[in-house]
Amino acid sequence: MSSTELPPKSEPALRIFAMPKDANANGDVFGGWVMANMDLAGAVPAVERAGGRIATVAVNGMRFHQPISVGDLVTCYAQISSTGTTSISVVVETWAKRRLTAAQIKVTEGTFVYVAIDEHGAKRALPPSV
Ligand SMILES: CC(C)(COP(=O)(O)OP(=O)(O)OC[C@H]1O[C@@H](n2cnc3c(N)ncnc32)[C@H](O)[C@@H]1OP(=O)(O)O)[C@@H](O)C(=O)NCCC(=O)NCCS
């Protein structure tokens, strides 16, 4: 990944500060915390496209490029990359702004796959896109 890469111009799906409770003894944030927030971020466009309830069915191509530290401002961008009969694939990029710096760097990316489900948790076809 190029260090000159800029974050997407789209509106972020989620912004959050990494706190001490999210980190290990070295002050680096747990990967599971990052994935949980990326799952939430990816669900934002997926819920809108599904027009209702969804479930995460897969996470593909997860890559941790750089560590996140306590105090970093973490921003997740989420964009639908494809849809199928019941599924919605969302590329989620996570960027971190280090404390006392202005630049954001891409720290993590992955594709989260959601399935539209009904009230019983069974998969359902996506509604037509508008
Ligand atoms: C989501 C769920 C209802 C889907 O039912 P299923 O019978 O397993 O569904 P399928 O195998 O037919 O897959 C459904 C869709 O997901 C897609 N999919 C499944 N696994 C995938 C993967 N690894 N990568 C990409 N897409 C995948 C399928 O291609 C299909 O897409 P399409 O309908 O658009 O063609 C069911 O798997 C489930 O309840 N899983 C648990 C969900 C959950 O608890 N999530 C939270 C985990 S923390």
Side-chain angles (χ1 to χ4, degrees):
M1 186 197 68
S2 162
S3 60
T4 57
E5 190 179 1
L6 295 171
K9 293 194 187 311
S10 57
E11 182 185 350
L14 180 150
R15 301 193 89 184
I16 188 169
F17 282 107
M19 300 297 280
K21 66 177 174 50
D22 308 317
N24 61 26
N26 299 323
D28 293 326
V29 163
F30 293 113
W33 180 87
V34 184
M35 286 186 73
N37 281 296
M38 291 173 74
D39 191 16
L40 287 171
V44 171
V47 163
E48 287 179 358
R49 176 62 186 85
R53 201 171 156 190
I54 57 170
T56 309
V57 74
V59 182
N60 297 326
M62 194 72 193
R63 175 71 205 269
F64 295 91
H65 297 290
Q66 301 271 345
I68 296 174
S69 303
V70 169
D72 287 355
L73 176 58
V74 176
T75 303
C76 296
Y77 298 90
Q79 182 162 16
I80 293 175
S81 57
S82 65
T83 57
T85 304
T86 67
S87 68
I88 304 158
S89 296
V90 182
V91 174
V92 182
E93 290 186 9
T94 299
W95 291 69
K97 191 158 91 66
R98 308 296 193 202
R99 264 195 288 195
L100 307 178
T101 66
Q104 291 196 88
I105 56 168
K106 183 156 77 175
V107 289
T108 310
E109 62 190 315
T111 299
F112 288 68
V113 186
Y114 305 89
V115 169
I117 56 172
D118 64 19
E119 65 273 25
H120 305 294
K123 64 187 174 187
R124 64 178 167 86
L126 295 176
S129 57
V130 286

